[in-house]
Amino acid sequence: MKPEDALLAYTLRLGDTALVLGQRLVELVTHGPELEEELANANFALDYIGQARMFYSHAAALEGAGRTEDDFAYLRDGQQFGNVLLVEQPNGDFGDTIVRQVLFETFYIRQLDTLTRCSDPGLAGIAARAVKEIRYHLRHGLQWLVRLGDGTGESHARVQASLHRLWPYCGELFAGDDVDEIVGTHYGGPDLSAIREQWEHEVHALLAEATLEVPDEPWMNAAGRQGVHTEHFGYLIAEMQFLKRAYPEATW
Amino acid sequence: MYTQGLDQQGKTENRRDSLETPERLEAFQARIDAEEKIEAKDWMPEAYRRTLIRQISQHAHSEIIGMQPEGNWLTRAPSLKRKAILLAKVQDEAGHGLYLYGAAETLGISRDRMVADLLSGKAKYSSIFNYPTLNWADIGAIGWLVDGAAIMNQIPLCRCSYGPYARAMVRICKEESFHQRQGFEIMHVMANGSEDQKAMAQDALNRWWWPSLMMFGPSDKDSKHSAQSMAWKIKRFSNDELRQKFVDVTVPQADFLGLTVPDPDLRFDETSGHYCYGEIDWQEFHDVIAGNGPCNRQRMETRRRAQDDGAWVREAARAYAAKHAAKAA
Amino acid sequence: MTNQEWPLYEVFIRTRSGLSHRHAGSVHAPDDQMALDHARDTYTRRNEGVSIWVVRSDRIVASDPAESSALFEPAEDKIYRHPTFYEIPEGVENL
């Protein structure tokens, strides 16, 4: 694979991950546990949709084939989306949502942080903006994690169960392929095994603070980056893409 | 947006002042007539307080329930730009509901109480949100017509005699200025788009036109709260005045879009300079208010579920705070 | 139900560096840290702030409107505290 092809694939995967998680958060609108959280959730969703648009626009520029952000979002099929599987998991209850956010964002912030120093100026610029957004998401998400973990008996049990449900998807975050490798070598992209070590260290400490146990579930085999999704995903993109695809000639 | 707390502090003090003597009522009205703002801790007649609580909480509930019809299309927005815009708008509605609950709280009612009144059906919200959003042009029509009508209602409220409400409305009006424009833009693009899109735009106008006119409330001759609210400067224009103003500005916009307003009696009257419009179906209005619109039950059910599903979360945060406050003490 | 509500906080925002914090509104939050987040998410959506203060509403001590004549009117007739009270002869500058 040529380095520029790897960079394009890598950028699209970032866009896909941001878009799919943004879409999941959008589904939560009007379902928040309190009005103030409704506002917080919408801010997070807006950040992710904004990030997806930036990654896709950059991908369009890298590709140079005249495609737009919407072509990437709306006119590709499921197997062409390279998001990690953790982010496409259904929202579940508020505990599931918080756990999904925390597990992903403790990884994502490190990925972005490295990318702010990568040699592709476009990607570095997007990462520099995104990393600030995610820093705030994490601040908020971690506050919730300890409040749910160390709140009531019910909240503790619920969030511990969420953790068990979502834990198996975490392994994939660190299972890079040749795209990650090439972007690492040629553009200074992140070293996933190094991130894994920091992530495990941090997540274990966070869970301890939240009085939660580190799940003993093994990490599953997953290939979201290569376009092999969970069954939930088909419904997510069917809903997202329906209108655009039903009237392919229309502009909106 | 100041507080229950403040209000409670003054309570013992206020008790001996709470008698509504003619002198006191007269002095209150004189302040209103002099365009002075009434603030949370100021003496006010009980009926003024009750009227404001009813109106502000109703307004807040409308913002919150109003998130649902638009929220219905968030996951299906046809471009990422439109998705982001719509999400920002729906989020603003949550914010506006929050500001308004805050303004009502200054009058000594809790948000919990107001939400409970909404869920029990005791409190009302704008009937418009009990209509369904069936195609993407509905998102345009809501911005253009529903927000357009809301702005007509809301701009005079920025000068309302109750300070916390007036200040909340200033913030809300400022933030909402993009809402109507984004709606008109959607209508404009669709009305100039494919035949399918044009049909969607016309269909949306057909369904939203009359409910939008109903948003201004009953005709002046049937409006039971109007006269007193005008005297208190909670309200500055009558329902019919605002409705007429809305029709006058909106019909030319529909013409510009090349869409047909679904009113065979609509005509421009040269002598008055106003559009004359057909009879509103007040039976429909009262049915929807009474809970029998197309979406009343669904809207309440969604709200109730969010409230119930969030109970353990709110509880956990309280428990954590109590634990840690105890530790710190 | 009422006493289960999260407490109310008043929110003050500094809109630009160099300006004072100004009352923006209120939020409910379970504790101080969350109150800051909620204030941020509610009142700075349009880039309105560079700094936030939050304070529990029930911790604010406020003057009583019934006492406002005693508190504020005595200052009304101290007009000599204002520069316009003084007559300066024509031609005198830098004063």
Side-chain angles (χ1 to χ4, degrees), chain B residues 60-315:
Chain B
H61 298 326
S62 301
E63 296 282 356
I64 301 305
I65 299 293
M67 297 167 69
Q68 291 184 34
E70 289 173 292
N72 181 38
W73 279 86
L74 274 173
T75 56
R76 295 173 289 171
S79 74
L80 294 183
K81 183 182 93 174
R82 293 282 176 217
K83 193 191 285 287
I85 292 170
L86 183 60
L87 178 53
K89 179 175 189 284
V90 173
Q91 183 196 37
D92 277 349
E93 285 153 13
H96 299 168
L98 198 157
Y99 304 161
L100 289 163
Y101 282 129
E105 285 173 276
T106 65
L107 293 159
I109 184 169
S110 70
R111 193 204 283 177
D112 266 7
R113 177 79 256 155
M114 291 186 268
V115 171
D117 287 346
L118 171 69
L119 296 179
S120 74
K122 189 178 155 209
K124 302 291 178 205
Y125 56 89
S126 182
S127 58
I128 192 88
F129 302 118
N130 291 315
Y131 291 88
T133 49
L134 302 177
N135 80 59
W136 174 252
D138 288 28
I139 300 306
I142 289 181
W144 172 39
L145 300 174
V146 177
D147 286 277
I151 289 166
M152 295 272 166
N153 264 319
Q154 289 179 169
I155 287 188
L157 287 173
C158 297
R159 295 189 293 127
C160 155
S161 63
Y162 187 57
Y165 191 22
R167 289 192 290 276
M169 289 316 304
V170 169
R171 189 179 269 272
I172 289 170
C173 286
K174 205 160 85 187
E175 295 187 353
E176 280 197 354
S177 51
F178 90 85
H179 292 184
Q180 192 187 14
R181 286 182 175 212
Q182 67 85 36
F184 189 81
E185 190 186 85
I186 290 174
M187 291 306 273
H188 187 230
V189 168
M190 292 183 74
N192 290 285
S194 66
E195 283 310 311
D196 288 325
Q197 286 177 301
K198 254 180 254 183
M200 287 182 219
Q202 183 62 54
D203 173 49
L205 175 58
N206 291 348
R207 283 179 290 108
W208 290 95
W209 174 256
W210 288 107
S212 297
L213 295 195
M214 294 177 200
M215 278 179 74
F216 295 93
S219 160
D220 293 348
K221 56 183 196 303
D222 302 318
S223 177
K224 57 179 176 180
H225 304 300
S226 280
Q228 182 59 72
S229 287
M230 300 272 264
W232 278 333
K233 301 198 177 171
I234 293 172
K235 203 172 162 148
R236 299 255 174 185
F237 298 98
S238 79
N239 294 352
D240 287 334
E241 279 170 335
L242 290 170
R243 187 166 16 241
Q244 184 64 54
K245 203 168 154 202
F246 174 76
V247 173
D248 288 344
V249 303
T250 308
V251 172
Q253 293 167 354
D255 291 343
F256 178 87
L257 293 172
L259 300 175
T260 309
V261 174
D263 177 359
D265 298 324
L266 186 75
R267 61 180 178 83
F268 187 70
D269 179 49
E270 296 286 350
T271 38
S272 66
H274 292 297
Y275 282 91
C276 301
Y277 51 91
E279 186 63 29
I280 290 173
D281 181 352
W282 292 113
Q283 189 54 48
E284 175 179 327
F285 174 75
H286 291 296
D287 284 349
V288 178
I289 291 277
N292 296 315
C295 301
N296 297 58
R297 288 170 183 82
Q298 178 193 337
R299 301 286 184 245
M300 294 305 284
E301 184 47 38
T302 299
R303 195 75 221 88
R304 189 172 295 119
R305 204 169 45 238
Q307 192 69 10
D308 292 348
D309 290 351
W312 71 273
V313 177
R314 297 190 299 274
E315 167 84 44

Side-chain angles (χ1 to χ4, degrees), chain B residues 1-6 9-10 13-14 16-17 41-43 88 91-93 95-96 98-99 102-103 105 110-113 115-116 119 167 171 174-176 178-179 307 313-315 317-318 320-321, chain C residues 1-13 15 22-32 34 38 41-46 48 55-68:
Chain B
M1 319 198 112
Y2 234 166
T3 92
Q4 264 167 292
L6 287 183
Q9 274 177 11
E13 204 69 29
N14 282 342
R16 64 165 191 267
D17 294 342
K41 283 189 69 188
D42 293 352
W43 185 88
Q91 183 196 37
D92 277 349
E93 285 153 13
H96 299 168
L98 198 157
Y99 304 161
E105 285 173 276
S110 70
R111 193 204 283 177
D112 266 7
R113 177 79 256 155
V115 171
L119 296 179
R167 289 192 290 276
R171 189 179 269 272
K174 205 160 85 187
E175 295 187 353
E176 280 197 354
F178 90 85
H179 292 184
Q307 192 69 10
V313 177
R314 297 190 299 274
E315 167 84 44
R318 275 198 306 272
Y320 178 86
Chain C
M1 190 169 189
T2 314
N3 56 5
Q4 290 188 8
E5 193 169 70
W6 287 345
L8 194 64
Y9 284 77
E10 299 303 312
V11 179
F12 300 83
I13 308 273
T15 49
R22 228 180 125 178
H23 187 233
S26 55
V27 290
H28 286 273
D31 55 56
D32 297 354
M34 278 293 198
H38 289 161
D41 284 317
T42 304
Y43 291 103
T44 67
R45 307 199 301 288
R46 285 173 170 76
E48 296 101 328
V55 58
R56 280 273 296 252
S57 305
D58 57 12
R59 303 277 165 80
I60 289 182
V61 183
S63 65
D64 183 345
E67 286 187 304
S68 67

Side-chain angles (χ1 to χ4, degrees), chain A residues 8-233:
Chain A
L8 173 60
Y10 191 86
T11 306
L12 279 172
R13 289 173 179 182
L14 285 166
D16 294 343
T17 296
L19 177 60
V20 169
L21 186 49
Q23 179 77 0
R24 280 293 186 222
L25 297 178
V26 158
E27 293 170 4
L28 289 170
V29 172
T30 76
H31 302 295
E34 185 54 283
L35 198 41
E36 282 80 358
E37 275 311 308
E38 194 67 68
L39 281 135
N41 175 67
N43 276 339
F44 302 153
L46 281 168
D47 287 342
Y48 276 114
I49 293 165
Q51 288 175 23
R53 295 180 66 187
M54 291 190 285
F55 286 128
Y56 286 150
S57 296
H58 186 53
L62 290 172
E63 186 187 48
R67 285 208 273 184
T68 66
E69 58 180 42
D70 286 335
D71 292 335
F72 289 123
Y74 289 92
L75 300 178
R76 287 180 306 150
D77 288 333
Q79 70 274 17
Q80 294 170 295
F81 275 76
N83 58 281
V84 291
L85 301 185
L86 178 60
V87 301
E88 71 189 45
Q89 298 315 302
N91 291 318
D93 68 12
F94 187 74
D96 291 322
T97 301
I98 290 295
V99 167
R100 187 187 60 202
Q101 295 304 109
V102 166
L103 292 177
F104 172 66
E105 291 181 332
T106 41
F107 158 78
Y108 186 42
I109 197 163
R110 292 192 159 78
Q111 183 183 24
L112 289 172
D113 182 60
T114 309
L115 289 172
T116 61
R117 296 181 296 277
C118 78
S119 64
D120 180 64
L123 202 52
I126 299 168
R129 283 184 60 175
V131 80
K132 292 180 200 154
E133 295 173 346
I134 303 306
R135 199 168 293 139
Y136 178 73
H137 294 199
L138 263 177
R139 171 195 149 94
H140 192 70
L142 292 177
Q143 294 207 58
W144 268 117
L145 189 72
V146 290
R147 279 158 185 74
L148 298 180
D150 191 16
T152 61
E154 181 186 6
S155 71
H156 178 87
R158 276 179 182 259
V159 78
Q160 185 68 60
S162 305
L163 203 51
H164 282 283
R165 253 194 306 279
L166 292 165
W167 191 256
Y169 296 98
C170 293
E172 192 201 4
L173 300 173
F174 313 105
D177 60 7
D178 51 339
V179 169
D180 295 274
E181 209 163 291
I182 296 168
V183 169
T185 319
H186 285 81
Y187 300 95
D191 169 5
L192 293 179
S193 59
I195 289 186
R196 173 177 172 169
E197 209 170 297
Q198 298 162 359
W199 181 90
E200 284 185 332
H201 188 75
E202 187 188 9
V203 167
H204 289 196
L206 293 171
L207 294 183
E209 193 196 337
T211 71
L212 294 164
E213 276 168 33
V214 178
D216 47 15
E217 263 89 338
W219 284 345
M220 64 189 268
N221 278 321
R225 287 192 181 91
Q226 293 78 38
V228 184
H229 294 272
T230 53
E231 288 181 348
H232 312 290
F233 187 67

